[in-house]
């Protein structure tokens, strides 16, 4: 009987360990989504997504920790000496180019996302600032494609424990190491998620 109770207790622990129920943060512009360790696929596995838009109509965001094999100045006409990567923004419209930056109103049409981070704006002005040495990879990040959710879709995925909603400071959002940002983001939000961060990529290796 004792062994049965012990097995039952362990079963409950195993079932509950990956429930993302310890965070009260709701999705919103400027928040991040942290993928749970079982989320699979080339885009979202162990990803960190910055939300740039969230409303009743849907959500838009960009994956911060997936890089392509090319560089922005290889695919953007008249962009010179940009020492930064081209990131994979998400699976939607992967042949389109997007960017976030910390240049504020220097870029007409930019949309404010956080205190210091802006989304989009005049593309020619961004190129001009980079080429004049007034902006670099610490202040501008380029993305191929974006991540999008229809009305209610993201909320359903959060309810299914696919994502944890959290936040990072602006410096981390722009310059964090893409190889460690997923683990470090989990460690920063509590002991339960520290366990997530140590879970192997392939569960069979555990």
């Amino acid at each position: 009987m004792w062994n049965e109770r012990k097995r039952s207790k362990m079963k409950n622990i195993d079932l509950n360990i990956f429930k993302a129920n310890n965070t009260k943060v709701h999705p919103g512009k400027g928040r991040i989504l942290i993928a749970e360790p079982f989320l699979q696929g080339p885009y979202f596995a162990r990803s960190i997504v910055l939300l740039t838009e969230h409303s009743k109509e849907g959500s838009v965001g960009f994956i911060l920790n997936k890089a392509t094999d090319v560089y922005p100045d290889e695919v953007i006409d008249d962009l010179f000496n940009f020492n930064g990567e081209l990131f994979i923004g998400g699976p939607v419209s992967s042949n389109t180019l997007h960017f976030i930056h910390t240049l504020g109103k220097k870029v007409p049409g930019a949309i404010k996302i956080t205190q210091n981070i802006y989304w989009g704006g005049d593309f020619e002005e961004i190129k001009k600032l980079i080429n004049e040495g007034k902006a670099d990879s610490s202040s501008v990040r380029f993305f191929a494609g974006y991540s999008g959710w229809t009305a209610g879709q993201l909320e359903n995925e959060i309810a299914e424990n696919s994502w944890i909603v959290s936040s990072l400071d602006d410096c981390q959002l722009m310059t964090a190491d893409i190889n460690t940002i997923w683990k470090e983001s989990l460690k920063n939000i509590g002991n339960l998620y520290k366990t997530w961060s140590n879970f192997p990529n392939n569960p069979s290796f555990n």
Side-chain angles (χ1 to χ4, degrees):
M1 181 66 71
W2 182 86
N3 286 337
E4 289 180 3
R5 286 199 299 269
K6 183 178 180 181
R7 281 196 298 270
S8 176
K9 184 177 180 182
M10 291 302 294
K11 183 178 179 182
N12 288 337
I13 291 174
D14 291 339
L15 287 173
N16 291 330
I17 195 169
F18 292 109
K19 286 189 177 179
N21 55 8
N22 280 9
T23 177
K24 303 296 184 183
V25 182
H26 298 287
K29 184 168 65 174
R31 301 288 190 189
I32 62 165
L33 304 175
I34 308 174
E36 58 92 356
F38 291 137
L39 193 61
Q40 298 299 309
Y43 290 101
F44 293 129
R46 307 214 166 194
S47 64
I48 298 286
V49 180
L50 171 65
L51 289 175
T52 55
E53 183 177 321
H54 179 74
S55 69
K56 292 180 180 179
E57 285 71 43
S59 307
V60 173
F62 298 96
I63 302 169
L64 297 178
N65 59 333
K66 309 272 183 176
T68 69
D69 295 326
V70 298
Y71 293 88
D73 53 10
E74 295 177 324
V75 296
I76 301 173
D77 291 338
D78 302 322
L79 182 69
F80 309 111
N81 301 319
F82 183 79
N83 186 25
E85 297 169 296
L86 175 62
F87 293 91
I88 299 171
V92 184
S93 299
S94 58
N95 62 337
T96 59
L97 195 68
H98 309 266
F99 55 95
I100 60 174
H101 56 88
T102 58
L103 303 171
K105 297 304 181 181
K106 292 178 183 177
V107 183
I111 298 170
K112 190 172 184 178
I113 303 303
T114 69
Q115 183 176 355
N116 299 299
I117 295 177
Y118 290 73
W119 171 29
D122 188 317
F123 191 59
E124 293 302 316
E125 189 62 29
I126 276 283
K127 290 198 295 183
K128 179 183 175 183
L129 290 168
I130 292 171
N131 290 337
E132 291 177 349
K134 298 176 181 177
D136 57 23
S137 59
S138 68
S139 55
V140 184
R141 295 186 69 168
F142 289 101
F143 301 90
Y146 67 94
S147 303
W149 293 264
T150 57
Q153 184 182 5
L154 179 57
E155 287 82 357
N156 289 338
E157 292 182 9
I158 292 170
E160 292 168 355
N161 300 311
S162 294
W163 303 100
I164 307 167
V165 184
S166 187
S167 59
L168 289 173
D169 67 49
D170 291 348
C171 181
Q172 290 174 306
L173 290 172
M174 294 299 295
T175 63
D177 184 342
I178 66 171
N179 296 308
T180 60
I181 186 174
W182 183 79
K183 279 194 171 188
E184 293 305 315
S185 297
L186 286 171
K187 289 177 181 178
N188 289 339
I189 55 177
N191 289 332
L192 170 65
Y193 303 105
K194 232 179 247 189
T195 304
W196 283 32
S197 71
N198 291 323
F199 205 76
N201 288 336
N202 188 333
S204 64
F205 293 159
N206 191 23

